[in-house]
Amino acid sequence: MEFILVLALILIFTKLAGDLSVRLGQPSVLGKLIVGVILGPAILGWVQQSDFVHYMAEIGVLLLMFIAGLETDLEQLKKNWKAAFAVAVGGIILPFIGGYGSAIAFGMSQTHALFFGLLFCATSVSISVQTLKDMNQLSSREGTTILGAAVVDDVLVVVILAVMMSLLGTGGGDTSISLLIGKKLLFFVIIIAASWFLVPRIMKWMAPLKVTETVITAGLIICFGFSYFAEWMGVAGIIGAFAAGIAISQTNFKHEVETKLEPIAYGIFVPVFFVSIGLNVTFDGVGSQIWFIVVISLIAIVTKLIGGGAGARLTGFDRSSSIAIGAGMISRGEVALIIASTGLASGLLDSEYFTSVVIMVIVTTLVTPPLLKITFARKKGEQRVEKGIEDSHLNG
């Protein structure tokens, strides 16, 4: 029954840390992330990575992105697709150059440097989603652009990874690039068709069944089904969960699924996901690579901020909104950890750098909530000033 004690520790400390974080003027997610580092192997060692934590965290991040899909304004998303694409591309080009350049500067080979550049391109907006939700900005123009850019970023990075592994001959030599791209396109075609025709029918069919909570169960079946299909087609499961949320948001069952799902998600699964990120941190042997970690962390933050922000600026966003969107793309999260593990297994990432990369990923994840808080607060301040000027002109 030790896993029950682990779960109890995670739940009590994430709630207390989240509350403290809010009292200090930060999003609650920041405190929850730091708890993972404190409870994990890096400091106290009370909670270790295990199958139990891993599976609970997987469900947590899927539910988090499913809720994000439920709360997404689809019309706003359609309206901002060009901006989302530009943000994703900008958030890939500049980080790739920064990652590649830093790897070369630290003496890595061309092959390893190319892969290192790719690592910097990854984006995981699960942390940004929670922060935007805390600030009631998830359905804003900036929020939907960040979500759309994350979907595009995920697909582009997976395709680039497959191309790189194919060209560098690390176990992917037999991969057909056209087949890979075809699979991604097929995924979106099938998901859109299923969202349009299948999802409403499943919800209507299950709702009147003579058993308890059929609507929320139907929603979870669709969420997990879409997530599994996404992984099977080589797209991140969180994209499938997000798509499932959008699909159900277009039905009459949106409100019921959302109100019944949030207590389940935030009561047990999502806190485990936040803590699981911090469990990856360990300070063993870090002293000898401290400058390497500092440099790559700074480059990872700045290149995403500028690259994503530039994409937003070029598509009509003002300066403060562009910075906010760039900040929302900084977190590398579990996507970068998966790519790093793939590189380690295929020989594209030296084992001596793996811990440093993990710490870089954690740093980008930890700085995202406060940066989003600051940038959105500045944006609101600028809007108030502009409104004050307009009112004074009208009164004058």
Side-chain angles (χ1 to χ4, degrees), residues 24 96 114 248 317 358 393:
L24 294 174
F96 183 84
L114 285 168
I248 292 175
F317 283 90
V358 169
H393 282 316

Side-chain angles (χ1 to χ4, degrees), residues 63-74 129 138 147 241-250 254:
L63 295 182
L64 183 62
M65 294 305 293
F66 182 45
I67 292 168
L70 284 168
E71 296 183 359
T72 297
D73 184 337
L74 189 58
V129 161
L138 193 58
L147 284 165
F242 179 62
I246 290 177
I248 292 175
S249 75
Q250 303 307 300
K254 172 189 172 177

Side-chain angles (χ1 to χ4, degrees), residues 17 21 29-40 43 274-275 278 366:
S21 190
V29 66
L30 180 61
K32 296 170 187 175
L33 290 168
I34 293 171
V35 158
V37 179
I38 296 170
L39 292 180
I43 300 179
F274 292 139
V275 167
L366 287 173

Side-chain angles (χ1 to χ4, degrees), residues 223-243:
C223 170
F224 296 145
F226 274 35
S227 301
Y228 180 80
F229 179 64
E231 287 283 348
W232 189 61
M233 294 292 282
V235 180
I238 57 174
I239 303 301
F242 179 62

Side-chain angles (χ1 to χ4, degrees), residues 87-389:
V87 169
V89 171
I92 284 176
I93 293 172
L94 203 60
F96 183 84
I97 293 168
Y100 173 80
S102 62
I104 292 292
F106 279 96
M108 290 189 201
S109 66
Q110 282 287 340
T111 300
H112 288 168
L114 285 168
F115 182 80
F116 210 72
L118 178 66
L119 262 175
F120 278 55
C121 300
T123 288
S124 175
V125 295
S126 48
I127 301 303
S128 299
V129 161
Q130 183 58 50
T131 309
L132 291 167
K133 195 170 163 56
D134 287 347
M135 299 187 299
N136 294 316
Q137 294 290 336
L138 193 58
S139 296
S140 65
R141 191 179 169 215
E142 292 81 7
T144 50
T145 300
I146 290 168
L147 284 165
V151 174
V152 177
D153 185 285
D154 176 71
V155 173
L156 291 177
V157 167
V158 169
V159 170
I160 295 167
L161 175 63
V163 170
M164 191 175 288
M165 292 183 75
S166 178
L167 294 176
L168 299 176
T170 55
D174 296 329
T175 304
S176 166
I177 304 308
S178 57
L179 179 64
L180 188 91
I181 295 170
K183 274 181 74 177
K184 304 293 174 289
L185 292 173
L186 182 62
F187 164 77
F188 285 105
V189 169
I190 293 173
I191 283 293
I192 290 168
S195 300
W196 191 265
F197 298 108
L198 201 59
V199 169
R201 286 167 174 77
I202 291 172
M203 298 300 293
K204 284 177 185 174
W205 172 66
M206 287 198 68
L209 295 181
K210 304 296 183 184
V211 284
T212 56
E213 304 298 351
T214 51
V215 170
I216 182 63
T217 302
L220 289 171
I221 289 167
I222 292 164
C223 170
F224 296 145
F226 274 35
S227 301
Y228 180 80
F229 179 64
E231 287 283 348
W232 189 61
M233 294 292 282
V235 180
I238 57 174
I239 303 301
F242 179 62
I246 290 177
I248 292 175
S249 75
Q250 303 307 300
T251 70
N252 296 328
F253 301 98
K254 172 189 172 177
H255 181 69
E256 186 177 352
V257 172
E258 194 176 341
T259 47
K260 289 184 176 177
L261 179 63
E262 286 198 348
I264 299 170
Y266 290 102
I268 186 165
F269 292 104
V270 174
V272 180
F273 164 65
F274 292 139
V275 167
S276 72
I277 294 173
L279 298 183
N280 292 296
V281 177
T282 173
F283 298 127
D284 293 341
V286 165
S288 60
Q289 294 190 7
I290 190 69
W291 286 112
F292 177 70
I293 293 166
V294 169
V295 169
I296 65 172
S297 297
L298 286 172
I299 290 172
I301 293 165
V302 171
T303 53
K304 271 288 184 185
L305 184 66
I306 296 173
R313 196 81 169 100
L314 289 170
T315 49
F317 283 90
D318 61 30
R319 188 170 59 87
S320 58
S321 291
S322 299
I323 294 170
I325 289 168
M329 299 295 288
I330 288 172
S331 174
R332 300 320 198 267
E334 72 282 357
V335 177
L337 293 176
I338 291 166
I339 293 173
S341 299
T342 304
L344 190 67
S346 61
L348 286 173
L349 179 66
D350 281 337
S351 56
E352 64 177 299
Y353 295 118
F354 185 73
T355 298
S356 299
V357 167
V358 169
I359 292 173
M360 177 271 283
V361 170
I362 302 295
V363 169
T364 61
T365 303
L366 287 173
V367 302
T368 297
L371 270 178
L372 275 171
K373 179 96 174 179
I374 292 164
T375 52
F376 271 96
R378 184 177 295 174
K379 179 178 173 295
K380 278 185 182 176
E382 288 177 7
Q383 285 174 340
R384 283 197 205 98
V385 171
E386 286 173 10
K387 192 174 185 306
I389 293 169

